[in-house]
Amino acid sequence: IALRRILLFDYIHARLLPHLNKPNVFVVRYERWLENPSAIVDELSAFLGVGLRPGPVSIEPSRHSTELSPAEVALIREHCSTAEQLGYAAV
């Protein structure tokens, strides 16, 4: 299951990477959204050129442990080629 999740992450993000620097793309990192959502909304408003107001959706951190096992770290190191390109340090 862990390897499948890593390969899916890599597959999706390999296809997103070529588009991230385009002028019509606004990238929102999940971690930053949790740290400072109002700043993200302000930046997104400026990017779109329209004022945004709070919506019905609330993004919250996972309630489950996010600590990786040694086996998961080894799988990520071996099979994930996009994490560092997305700004995530090698595990």
mmCIF file of all heavy atoms in Angstrom, residues 12-63:
data_model
loop_
_atom_site.group_PDB
_atom_site.id
_atom_site.type_symbol
_atom_site.label_atom_id
_atom_site.label_comp_id
_atom_site.label_asym_id
_atom_site.label_seq_id
_atom_site.Cartn_x
_atom_site.Cartn_y
_atom_site.Cartn_z
ATOM 1 N N ILE A 12 1.425 11.657 -10.346
ATOM 2 C CA ILE A 12 0.640 12.896 -10.429
ATOM 3 C C ILE A 12 1.553 14.119 -10.460
ATOM 4 O O ILE A 12 1.407 15.005 -11.300
ATOM 5 C CB ILE A 12 -0.358 12.986 -9.256
ATOM 6 C CG1 ILE A 12 -1.433 11.917 -9.417
ATOM 7 C CG2 ILE A 12 -0.973 14.383 -9.157
ATOM 8 C CD1 ILE A 12 -2.296 11.712 -8.192
ATOM 9 N N HIS A 13 2.510 14.156 -9.565
ATOM 10 C CA HIS A 13 3.361 15.337 -9.468
ATOM 11 C C HIS A 13 4.338 15.470 -10.627
ATOM 12 O O HIS A 13 4.691 16.592 -11.008
ATOM 13 C CB HIS A 13 4.059 15.372 -8.110
ATOM 14 C CG HIS A 13 3.074 15.637 -7.017
ATOM 15 N ND1 HIS A 13 2.518 14.623 -6.282
ATOM 16 C CD2 HIS A 13 2.492 16.777 -6.584
ATOM 17 C CE1 HIS A 13 1.649 15.144 -5.432
ATOM 18 N NE2 HIS A 13 1.610 16.446 -5.593
ATOM 19 N N ALA A 14 4.738 14.380 -11.234
ATOM 20 C CA ALA A 14 5.581 14.460 -12.428
ATOM 21 C C ALA A 14 4.836 15.165 -13.552
ATOM 22 O O ALA A 14 5.435 15.867 -14.371
ATOM 23 C CB ALA A 14 6.017 13.067 -12.865
ATOM 24 N N ARG A 15 3.531 15.008 -13.589
ATOM 25 C CA ARG A 15 2.729 15.660 -14.619
ATOM 26 C C ARG A 15 2.368 17.103 -14.263
ATOM 27 O O ARG A 15 2.078 17.909 -15.136
ATOM 28 C CB ARG A 15 1.480 14.840 -14.899
ATOM 29 C CG ARG A 15 1.818 13.674 -15.816
ATOM 30 C CD ARG A 15 1.086 12.394 -15.496
ATOM 31 N NE ARG A 15 1.581 11.306 -16.322
ATOM 32 C CZ ARG A 15 2.664 10.573 -16.015
ATOM 33 N NH1 ARG A 15 3.342 10.815 -14.922
ATOM 34 N NH2 ARG A 15 3.071 9.602 -16.809
ATOM 35 N N LEU A 16 2.412 17.437 -12.982
ATOM 36 C CA LEU A 16 2.138 18.818 -12.556
ATOM 37 C C LEU A 16 3.369 19.720 -12.657
ATOM 38 O O LEU A 16 3.243 20.909 -12.957
ATOM 39 C CB LEU A 16 1.648 18.837 -11.109
ATOM 40 C CG LEU A 16 0.264 18.293 -10.839
ATOM 41 C CD1 LEU A 16 -0.014 18.268 -9.350
ATOM 42 C CD2 LEU A 16 -0.785 19.114 -11.552
ATOM 43 N N LEU A 17 4.538 19.172 -12.396
ATOM 44 C CA LEU A 17 5.764 19.969 -12.339
ATOM 45 C C LEU A 17 5.980 20.884 -13.543
ATOM 46 O O LEU A 17 6.336 22.052 -13.355
ATOM 47 C CB LEU A 17 6.984 19.064 -12.139
ATOM 48 C CG LEU A 17 7.225 18.640 -10.702
ATOM 49 C CD1 LEU A 17 8.246 17.504 -10.634
ATOM 50 C CD2 LEU A 17 7.705 19.818 -9.870
ATOM 51 N N PRO A 18 5.757 20.439 -14.767
ATOM 52 C CA PRO A 18 6.001 21.329 -15.910
ATOM 53 C C PRO A 18 5.108 22.571 -15.935
ATOM 54 O O PRO A 18 5.404 23.535 -16.630
ATOM 55 C CB PRO A 18 5.719 20.443 -17.127
ATOM 56 C CG PRO A 18 5.798 19.047 -16.646
ATOM 57 C CD PRO A 18 5.407 19.086 -15.203
ATOM 58 N N HIS A 19 4.041 22.569 -15.177
ATOM 59 C CA HIS A 19 3.080 23.672 -15.221
ATOM 60 C C HIS A 19 3.223 24.665 -14.066
ATOM 61 O O HIS A 19 2.619 25.734 -14.090
ATOM 62 C CB HIS A 19 1.655 23.113 -15.230
ATOM 63 C CG HIS A 19 1.422 22.149 -16.338
ATOM 64 N ND1 HIS A 19 1.261 22.541 -17.650
ATOM 65 C CD2 HIS A 19 1.382 20.797 -16.343
ATOM 66 C CE1 HIS A 19 1.109 21.475 -18.408
ATOM 67 N NE2 HIS A 19 1.179 20.403 -17.637
ATOM 68 N N LEU A 20 3.996 24.340 -13.068
ATOM 69 C CA LEU A 20 4.025 25.146 -11.844
ATOM 70 C C LEU A 20 4.597 26.548 -12.021
ATOM 71 O O LEU A 20 4.267 27.439 -11.248
ATOM 72 C CB LEU A 20 4.789 24.400 -10.740
ATOM 73 C CG LEU A 20 4.166 23.081 -10.296
ATOM 74 C CD1 LEU A 20 4.942 22.513 -9.120
ATOM 75 C CD2 LEU A 20 2.696 23.236 -9.965
ATOM 76 N N ASN A 21 5.426 26.754 -13.007
ATOM 77 C CA ASN A 21 6.010 28.084 -13.205
ATOM 78 C C ASN A 21 5.289 28.907 -14.268
ATOM 79 O O ASN A 21 5.748 29.989 -14.629
ATOM 80 C CB ASN A 21 7.494 27.959 -13.560
ATOM 81 C CG ASN A 21 8.294 27.482 -12.374
ATOM 82 O OD1 ASN A 21 8.039 27.866 -11.240
ATOM 83 N ND2 ASN A 21 9.253 26.616 -12.619
ATOM 84 N N LYS A 22 4.167 28.415 -14.737
ATOM 85 C CA LYS A 22 3.404 29.165 -15.734
ATOM 86 C C LYS A 22 2.733 30.368 -15.068
ATOM 87 O O LYS A 22 2.352 30.315 -13.904
ATOM 88 C CB LYS A 22 2.359 28.259 -16.391
ATOM 89 C CG LYS A 22 2.986 27.185 -17.267
ATOM 90 C CD LYS A 22 1.922 26.357 -17.944
ATOM 91 C CE LYS A 22 2.573 25.338 -18.869
ATOM 92 N NZ LYS A 22 1.571 24.527 -19.560
ATOM 93 N N PRO A 23 2.585 31.461 -15.817
ATOM 94 C CA PRO A 23 2.025 32.677 -15.213
ATOM 95 C C PRO A 23 0.562 32.563 -14.804
ATOM 96 O O PRO A 23 0.087 33.363 -13.998
ATOM 97 C CB PRO A 23 2.200 33.732 -16.310
ATOM 98 C CG PRO A 23 2.329 32.956 -17.576
ATOM 99 C CD PRO A 23 2.949 31.641 -17.222
ATOM 100 N N ASN A 24 -0.147 31.577 -15.317
ATOM 101 C CA ASN A 24 -1.561 31.432 -14.958
ATOM 102 C C ASN A 24 -1.794 30.338 -13.923
ATOM 103 O O ASN A 24 -2.909 29.872 -13.739
ATOM 104 C CB ASN A 24 -2.401 31.161 -16.210
ATOM 105 C CG ASN A 24 -2.024 29.853 -16.882
ATOM 106 O OD1 ASN A 24 -0.911 29.350 -16.725
ATOM 107 N ND2 ASN A 24 -2.940 29.306 -17.656
ATOM 108 N N VAL A 25 -0.731 29.951 -13.207
ATOM 109 C CA VAL A 25 -0.835 28.908 -12.186
ATOM 110 C C VAL A 25 -0.444 29.484 -10.827
ATOM 111 O O VAL A 25 0.605 30.112 -10.690
ATOM 112 C CB VAL A 25 0.068 27.701 -12.538
ATOM 113 C CG1 VAL A 25 0.068 26.684 -11.409
ATOM 114 C CG2 VAL A 25 -0.380 27.065 -13.842
ATOM 115 N N PHE A 26 -1.290 29.281 -9.844
ATOM 116 C CA PHE A 26 -1.016 29.704 -8.474
ATOM 117 C C PHE A 26 -0.877 28.447 -7.630
ATOM 118 O O PHE A 26 -1.819 27.669 -7.505
ATOM 119 C CB PHE A 26 -2.159 30.586 -7.940
ATOM 120 C CG PHE A 26 -1.915 31.105 -6.564
ATOM 121 C CD1 PHE A 26 -1.118 32.223 -6.356
ATOM 122 C CD2 PHE A 26 -2.482 30.490 -5.463
ATOM 123 C CE1 PHE A 26 -0.898 32.707 -5.077
ATOM 124 C CE2 PHE A 26 -2.267 30.960 -4.186
ATOM 125 C CZ PHE A 26 -1.471 32.080 -3.991
ATOM 126 N N VAL A 27 0.294 28.245 -7.067
ATOM 127 C CA VAL A 27 0.573 27.033 -6.304
ATOM 128 C C VAL A 27 0.306 27.285 -4.823
ATOM 129 O O VAL A 27 0.780 28.275 -4.261
ATOM 130 C CB VAL A 27 2.035 26.583 -6.501
ATOM 131 C CG1 VAL A 27 2.354 25.364 -5.645
ATOM 132 C CG2 VAL A 27 2.301 26.304 -7.977
ATOM 133 N N VAL A 28 -0.440 26.392 -4.216
ATOM 134 C CA VAL A 28 -0.723 26.467 -2.781
ATOM 135 C C VAL A 28 -0.182 25.199 -2.133
ATOM 136 O O VAL A 28 -0.617 24.104 -2.453
ATOM 137 C CB VAL A 28 -2.241 26.583 -2.504
ATOM 138 C CG1 VAL A 28 -2.504 26.576 -1.013
ATOM 139 C CG2 VAL A 28 -2.805 27.825 -3.154
ATOM 140 N N ARG A 29 0.761 25.365 -1.237
ATOM 141 C CA ARG A 29 1.285 24.223 -0.495
ATOM 142 C C ARG A 29 0.397 23.959 0.709
ATOM 143 O O ARG A 29 0.042 24.861 1.458
ATOM 144 C CB ARG A 29 2.717 24.500 -0.053
ATOM 145 C CG ARG A 29 3.694 24.525 -1.212
ATOM 146 C CD ARG A 29 5.095 24.749 -0.723
ATOM 147 N NE ARG A 29 5.497 23.705 0.175
ATOM 148 C CZ ARG A 29 6.453 22.833 -0.082
ATOM 149 N NH1 ARG A 29 7.118 22.897 -1.188
ATOM 150 N NH2 ARG A 29 6.767 21.914 0.799
ATOM 151 N N TYR A 30 0.055 22.709 0.884
ATOM 152 C CA TYR A 30 -0.818 22.286 1.980
ATOM 153 C C TYR A 30 -0.286 22.782 3.326
ATOM 154 O O TYR A 30 -1.036 23.333 4.140
ATOM 155 C CB TYR A 30 -0.908 20.755 1.955
ATOM 156 C CG TYR A 30 -1.630 20.139 3.123
ATOM 157 C CD1 TYR A 30 -3.018 20.135 3.181
ATOM 158 C CD2 TYR A 30 -0.926 19.546 4.163
ATOM 159 C CE1 TYR A 30 -3.692 19.554 4.244
ATOM 160 C CE2 TYR A 30 -1.591 18.961 5.232
ATOM 161 C CZ TYR A 30 -2.959 18.975 5.264
ATOM 162 O OH TYR A 30 -3.611 18.401 6.315
ATOM 163 N N GLU A 31 1.008 22.613 3.563
ATOM 164 C CA GLU A 31 1.597 23.008 4.851
ATOM 165 C C GLU A 31 1.453 24.511 5.088
ATOM 166 O O GLU A 31 1.166 24.951 6.195
ATOM 167 C CB GLU A 31 3.084 22.628 4.912
ATOM 168 C CG GLU A 31 3.341 21.156 4.789
ATOM 169 C CD GLU A 31 3.426 20.669 3.338
ATOM 170 O OE1 GLU A 31 3.228 21.459 2.395
ATOM 171 O OE2 GLU A 31 3.691 19.473 3.165
ATOM 172 N N ARG A 32 1.649 25.288 4.044
ATOM 173 C CA ARG A 32 1.532 26.746 4.200
ATOM 174 C C ARG A 32 0.080 27.142 4.447
ATOM 175 O O ARG A 32 -0.198 28.082 5.184
ATOM 176 C CB ARG A 32 2.080 27.443 2.954
ATOM 177 C CG ARG A 32 2.157 28.929 3.145
ATOM 178 C CD ARG A 32 3.150 29.588 2.230
ATOM 179 N NE ARG A 32 3.060 31.013 2.438
ATOM 180 C CZ ARG A 32 2.566 31.860 1.544
ATOM 181 N NH1 ARG A 32 2.191 31.438 0.362
ATOM 182 N NH2 ARG A 32 2.475 33.139 1.828
ATOM 183 N N TRP A 33 -0.833 26.430 3.808
ATOM 184 C CA TRP A 33 -2.253 26.714 4.033
ATOM 185 C C TRP A 33 -2.589 26.532 5.507
ATOM 186 O O TRP A 33 -3.321 27.321 6.094
ATOM 187 C CB TRP A 33 -3.120 25.800 3.175
ATOM 188 C CG TRP A 33 -4.575 26.049 3.396
ATOM 189 C CD1 TRP A 33 -5.399 25.404 4.256
ATOM 190 C CD2 TRP A 33 -5.373 27.058 2.775
ATOM 191 N NE1 TRP A 33 -6.661 25.930 4.210
ATOM 192 C CE2 TRP A 33 -6.671 26.953 3.314
ATOM 193 C CE3 TRP A 33 -5.118 28.045 1.829
ATOM 194 C CZ2 TRP A 33 -7.704 27.785 2.919
ATOM 195 C CZ3 TRP A 33 -6.144 28.873 1.440
ATOM 196 C CH2 TRP A 33 -7.426 28.748 1.977
ATOM 197 N N LEU A 34 -2.038 25.494 6.131
ATOM 198 C CA LEU A 34 -2.310 25.244 7.542
ATOM 199 C C LEU A 34 -1.648 26.283 8.437
ATOM 200 O O LEU A 34 -2.176 26.616 9.493
ATOM 201 C CB LEU A 34 -1.837 23.838 7.922
ATOM 202 C CG LEU A 34 -2.601 22.692 7.257
ATOM 203 C CD1 LEU A 34 -1.994 21.364 7.657
ATOM 204 C CD2 LEU A 34 -4.073 22.735 7.600
ATOM 205 N N GLU A 35 -0.489 26.795 8.028
ATOM 206 C CA GLU A 35 0.234 27.778 8.840
ATOM 207 C C GLU A 35 -0.381 29.164 8.775
ATOM 208 O O GLU A 35 -0.435 29.869 9.775
ATOM 209 C CB GLU A 35 1.692 27.869 8.368
ATOM 210 C CG GLU A 35 2.499 26.624 8.636
ATOM 211 C CD GLU A 35 3.839 26.647 7.910
ATOM 212 O OE1 GLU A 35 4.174 27.660 7.255
ATOM 213 O OE2 GLU A 35 4.549 25.630 7.991
ATOM 214 N N ASN A 36 -0.819 29.587 7.583
ATOM 215 C CA ASN A 36 -1.287 30.956 7.429
ATOM 216 C C ASN A 36 -2.321 31.058 6.299
ATOM 217 O O ASN A 36 -2.039 31.631 5.247
ATOM 218 C CB ASN A 36 -0.095 31.881 7.157
ATOM 219 C CG ASN A 36 -0.453 33.327 7.366
ATOM 220 O OD1 ASN A 36 -1.620 33.680 7.516
ATOM 221 N ND2 ASN A 36 0.547 34.178 7.357
ATOM 222 N N PRO A 37 -3.509 30.533 6.503
ATOM 223 C CA PRO A 37 -4.508 30.535 5.435
ATOM 224 C C PRO A 37 -4.933 31.927 4.979
ATOM 225 O O PRO A 37 -5.209 32.129 3.796
ATOM 226 C CB PRO A 37 -5.680 29.751 6.015
ATOM 227 C CG PRO A 37 -5.486 29.785 7.489
ATOM 228 C CD PRO A 37 -4.012 29.904 7.722
ATOM 229 N N SER A 38 -4.954 32.899 5.881
ATOM 230 C CA SER A 38 -5.387 34.235 5.464
ATOM 231 C C SER A 38 -4.391 34.857 4.487
ATOM 232 O O SER A 38 -4.786 35.555 3.554
ATOM 233 C CB SER A 38 -5.612 35.144 6.670
ATOM 234 O OG SER A 38 -4.427 35.292 7.411
ATOM 235 N N ALA A 39 -3.096 34.595 4.680
ATOM 236 C CA ALA A 39 -2.092 35.103 3.740
ATOM 237 C C ALA A 39 -2.270 34.452 2.369
ATOM 238 O O ALA A 39 -2.159 35.124 1.336
ATOM 239 C CB ALA A 39 -0.684 34.848 4.270
ATOM 240 N N ILE A 40 -2.563 33.164 2.354
ATOM 241 C CA ILE A 40 -2.793 32.464 1.085
ATOM 242 C C ILE A 40 -3.998 33.062 0.364
ATOM 243 O O ILE A 40 -3.951 33.307 -0.843
ATOM 244 C CB ILE A 40 -3.001 30.951 1.310
ATOM 245 C CG1 ILE A 40 -1.737 30.302 1.844
ATOM 246 C CG2 ILE A 40 -3.463 30.259 0.037
ATOM 247 C CD1 ILE A 40 -0.609 30.145 0.870
ATOM 248 N N VAL A 41 -5.070 33.297 1.091
ATOM 249 C CA VAL A 41 -6.268 33.863 0.481
ATOM 250 C C VAL A 41 -5.963 35.254 -0.068
ATOM 251 O O VAL A 41 -6.395 35.594 -1.179
ATOM 252 C CB VAL A 41 -7.446 33.890 1.481
ATOM 253 C CG1 VAL A 41 -8.615 34.689 0.929
ATOM 254 C CG2 VAL A 41 -7.881 32.471 1.811
ATOM 255 N N ASP A 42 -5.216 36.066 0.679
ATOM 256 C CA ASP A 42 -4.838 37.399 0.190
ATOM 257 C C ASP A 42 -4.011 37.307 -1.089
ATOM 258 O O ASP A 42 -4.240 38.041 -2.046
ATOM 259 C CB ASP A 42 -4.061 38.165 1.260
ATOM 260 C CG ASP A 42 -4.914 38.547 2.447
ATOM 261 O OD1 ASP A 42 -6.172 38.496 2.340
ATOM 262 O OD2 ASP A 42 -4.337 38.896 3.500
ATOM 263 N N GLU A 43 -3.038 36.398 -1.116
ATOM 264 C CA GLU A 43 -2.197 36.224 -2.298
ATOM 265 C C GLU A 43 -3.009 35.703 -3.481
ATOM 266 O O GLU A 43 -2.819 36.150 -4.618
ATOM 267 C CB GLU A 43 -1.043 35.272 -1.995
ATOM 268 C CG GLU A 43 -0.038 35.845 -1.019
ATOM 269 C CD GLU A 43 0.968 34.810 -0.538
ATOM 270 O OE1 GLU A 43 1.137 33.768 -1.209
ATOM 271 O OE2 GLU A 43 1.578 35.048 0.522
ATOM 272 N N LEU A 44 -3.908 34.777 -3.214
ATOM 273 C CA LEU A 44 -4.759 34.250 -4.277
ATOM 274 C C LEU A 44 -5.693 35.338 -4.809
ATOM 275 O O LEU A 44 -5.907 35.446 -6.021
ATOM 276 C CB LEU A 44 -5.559 33.047 -3.775
ATOM 277 C CG LEU A 44 -6.458 32.354 -4.788
ATOM 278 C CD1 LEU A 44 -5.678 31.894 -6.008
ATOM 279 C CD2 LEU A 44 -7.167 31.177 -4.129
ATOM 280 N N SER A 45 -6.214 36.160 -3.935
ATOM 281 C CA SER A 45 -7.057 37.284 -4.360
ATOM 282 C C SER A 45 -6.288 38.216 -5.289
ATOM 283 O O SER A 45 -6.801 38.628 -6.337
ATOM 284 C CB SER A 45 -7.541 38.083 -3.150
ATOM 285 O OG SER A 45 -8.450 37.346 -2.393
ATOM 286 N N ALA A 46 -5.043 38.532 -4.903
ATOM 287 C CA ALA A 46 -4.215 39.402 -5.743
ATOM 288 C C ALA A 46 -3.914 38.725 -7.083
ATOM 289 O O ALA A 46 -3.958 39.364 -8.139
ATOM 290 C CB ALA A 46 -2.921 39.747 -5.018
ATOM 291 N N PHE A 47 -3.629 37.438 -7.062
ATOM 292 C CA PHE A 47 -3.336 36.685 -8.279
ATOM 293 C C PHE A 47 -4.527 36.703 -9.237
ATOM 294 O O PHE A 47 -4.378 36.898 -10.444
ATOM 295 C CB PHE A 47 -2.959 35.247 -7.904
ATOM 296 C CG PHE A 47 -2.681 34.358 -9.073
ATOM 297 C CD1 PHE A 47 -1.457 34.398 -9.729
ATOM 298 C CD2 PHE A 47 -3.634 33.457 -9.509
ATOM 299 C CE1 PHE A 47 -1.191 33.567 -10.810
ATOM 300 C CE2 PHE A 47 -3.376 32.613 -10.583
ATOM 301 C CZ PHE A 47 -2.156 32.674 -11.237
ATOM 302 N N LEU A 48 -5.727 36.506 -8.699
ATOM 303 C CA LEU A 48 -6.935 36.465 -9.520
ATOM 304 C C LEU A 48 -7.466 37.846 -9.865
ATOM 305 O O LEU A 48 -8.239 38.004 -10.807
ATOM 306 C CB LEU A 48 -8.036 35.678 -8.799
ATOM 307 C CG LEU A 48 -7.754 34.199 -8.571
ATOM 308 C CD1 LEU A 48 -8.830 33.592 -7.691
ATOM 309 C CD2 LEU A 48 -7.655 33.469 -9.906
ATOM 310 N N GLY A 49 -7.076 38.837 -9.063
ATOM 311 C CA GLY A 49 -7.575 40.187 -9.292
ATOM 312 C C GLY A 49 -8.995 40.392 -8.805
ATOM 313 O O GLY A 49 -9.689 41.299 -9.258
ATOM 314 N N VAL A 50 -9.426 39.567 -7.887
ATOM 315 C CA VAL A 50 -10.767 39.695 -7.301
ATOM 316 C C VAL A 50 -10.683 39.429 -5.805
ATOM 317 O O VAL A 50 -9.821 38.691 -5.347
ATOM 318 C CB VAL A 50 -11.791 38.714 -7.930
ATOM 319 C CG1 VAL A 50 -11.995 38.986 -9.396
ATOM 320 C CG2 VAL A 50 -11.377 37.281 -7.726
ATOM 321 N N GLY A 51 -11.566 40.044 -5.073
ATOM 322 C CA GLY A 51 -11.611 39.799 -3.641
ATOM 323 C C GLY A 51 -12.263 38.451 -3.349
ATOM 324 O O GLY A 51 -13.266 38.100 -3.954
ATOM 325 N N LEU A 52 -11.681 37.724 -2.467
ATOM 326 C CA LEU A 52 -12.244 36.430 -2.059
ATOM 327 C C LEU A 52 -12.766 36.546 -0.641
ATOM 328 O O LEU A 52 -12.194 37.241 0.182
ATOM 329 C CB LEU A 52 -11.185 35.335 -2.130
ATOM 330 C CG LEU A 52 -10.599 35.054 -3.503
ATOM 331 C CD1 LEU A 52 -9.494 34.009 -3.392
ATOM 332 C CD2 LEU A 52 -11.678 34.583 -4.457
ATOM 333 N N ARG A 53 -13.808 35.836 -0.369
ATOM 334 C CA ARG A 53 -14.329 35.802 0.991
ATOM 335 C C ARG A 53 -14.273 34.368 1.485
ATOM 336 O O ARG A 53 -14.200 33.435 0.682
ATOM 337 C CB ARG A 53 -15.730 36.361 1.049
ATOM 338 C CG ARG A 53 -16.683 35.698 0.129
ATOM 339 C CD ARG A 53 -18.004 36.455 0.143
ATOM 340 N NE ARG A 53 -18.849 36.104 -0.605
ATOM 341 C CZ ARG A 53 -19.414 35.570 -1.716
ATOM 342 N NH1 ARG A 53 -19.395 35.432 -2.131
ATOM 343 N NH2 ARG A 53 -20.147 35.160 -2.482
ATOM 344 N N PRO A 54 -14.319 34.180 2.763
ATOM 345 C CA PRO A 54 -14.260 32.816 3.289
ATOM 346 C C PRO A 54 -15.382 31.956 2.723
ATOM 347 O O PRO A 54 -16.506 32.411 2.555
ATOM 348 C CB PRO A 54 -14.424 32.993 4.800
ATOM 349 C CG PRO A 54 -14.051 34.416 5.053
ATOM 350 C CD PRO A 54 -14.406 35.182 3.815
ATOM 351 N N GLY A 55 -15.039 30.726 2.430
ATOM 352 C CA GLY A 55 -16.022 29.799 1.874
ATOM 353 C C GLY A 55 -16.384 28.729 2.888
ATOM 354 O O GLY A 55 -15.919 28.749 4.029
ATOM 355 N N PRO A 56 -17.195 27.782 2.462
ATOM 356 C CA PRO A 56 -17.657 26.743 3.383
ATOM 357 C C PRO A 56 -16.621 25.642 3.643
ATOM 358 O O PRO A 56 -16.824 24.812 4.507
ATOM 359 C CB PRO A 56 -18.872 26.156 2.660
ATOM 360 C CG PRO A 56 -18.570 26.382 1.215
ATOM 361 C CD PRO A 56 -17.805 27.688 1.162
ATOM 362 N N VAL A 57 -15.506 25.654 2.924
ATOM 363 C CA VAL A 57 -14.516 24.589 3.064
ATOM 364 C C VAL A 57 -13.472 24.972 4.106
ATOM 365 O O VAL A 57 -12.995 26.092 4.142
ATOM 366 C CB VAL A 57 -13.819 24.321 1.714
ATOM 367 C CG1 VAL A 57 -12.723 23.291 1.867
ATOM 368 C CG2 VAL A 57 -14.834 23.883 0.678
ATOM 369 N N SER A 58 -13.133 24.019 4.935
ATOM 370 C CA SER A 58 -12.096 24.224 5.941
ATOM 371 C C SER A 58 -11.074 23.102 5.818
ATOM 372 O O SER A 58 -11.434 21.927 5.891
ATOM 373 C CB SER A 58 -12.723 24.215 7.333
ATOM 374 O OG SER A 58 -11.723 24.284 8.319
ATOM 375 N N ILE A 59 -9.810 23.457 5.601
ATOM 376 C CA ILE A 59 -8.750 22.456 5.511
ATOM 377 C C ILE A 59 -8.088 22.359 6.874
ATOM 378 O O ILE A 59 -7.661 23.353 7.441
ATOM 379 C CB ILE A 59 -7.722 22.836 4.432
ATOM 380 C CG1 ILE A 59 -8.407 22.899 3.068
ATOM 381 C CG2 ILE A 59 -6.569 21.843 4.416
ATOM 382 C CD1 ILE A 59 -7.530 23.386 1.948
ATOM 383 N N GLU A 60 -8.034 21.154 7.391
ATOM 384 C CA GLU A 60 -7.467 20.935 8.721
ATOM 385 C C GLU A 60 -6.368 19.882 8.650
ATOM 386 O O GLU A 60 -6.397 19.010 7.783
ATOM 387 C CB GLU A 60 -8.566 20.478 9.677
ATOM 388 C CG GLU A 60 -9.657 21.516 9.857
ATOM 389 C CD GLU A 60 -10.781 21.034 10.755
ATOM 390 O OE1 GLU A 60 -10.640 19.964 11.383
ATOM 391 O OE2 GLU A 60 -11.798 21.738 10.834
ATOM 392 N N PRO A 61 -5.417 19.948 9.567
ATOM 393 C CA PRO A 61 -4.355 18.938 9.567
ATOM 394 C C PRO A 61 -4.917 17.557 9.883
ATOM 395 O O PRO A 61 -5.954 17.415 10.527
ATOM 396 C CB PRO A 61 -3.400 19.401 10.657
ATOM 397 C CG PRO A 61 -4.145 20.384 11.467
ATOM 398 C CD PRO A 61 -5.261 20.918 10.631
ATOM 399 N N SER A 62 -4.206 16.551 9.417
ATOM 400 C CA SER A 62 -4.604 15.172 9.669
ATOM 401 C C SER A 62 -4.626 14.888 11.165
ATOM 402 O O SER A 62 -3.804 15.396 11.919
ATOM 403 C CB SER A 62 -3.629 14.212 8.982
ATOM 404 O OG SER A 62 -3.940 12.894 9.322
ATOM 405 N N ARG A 63 -5.550 14.076 11.577
ATOM 406 C CA ARG A 63 -5.627 13.679 12.985
ATOM 407 C C ARG A 63 -4.805 12.426 13.241
ATOM 408 O O ARG A 63 -4.655 11.991 14.360
ATOM 409 C CB ARG A 63 -7.078 13.439 13.379
ATOM 410 C CG ARG A 63 -7.889 14.702 13.344
ATOM 411 C CD ARG A 63 -9.307 14.455 13.811
ATOM 412 N NE ARG A 63 -10.090 15.643 13.531
ATOM 413 C CZ ARG A 63 -11.307 15.634 13.038
ATOM 414 N NH1 ARG A 63 -11.900 14.496 12.789
ATOM 415 N NH2 ARG A 63 -11.943 16.750 12.810
#
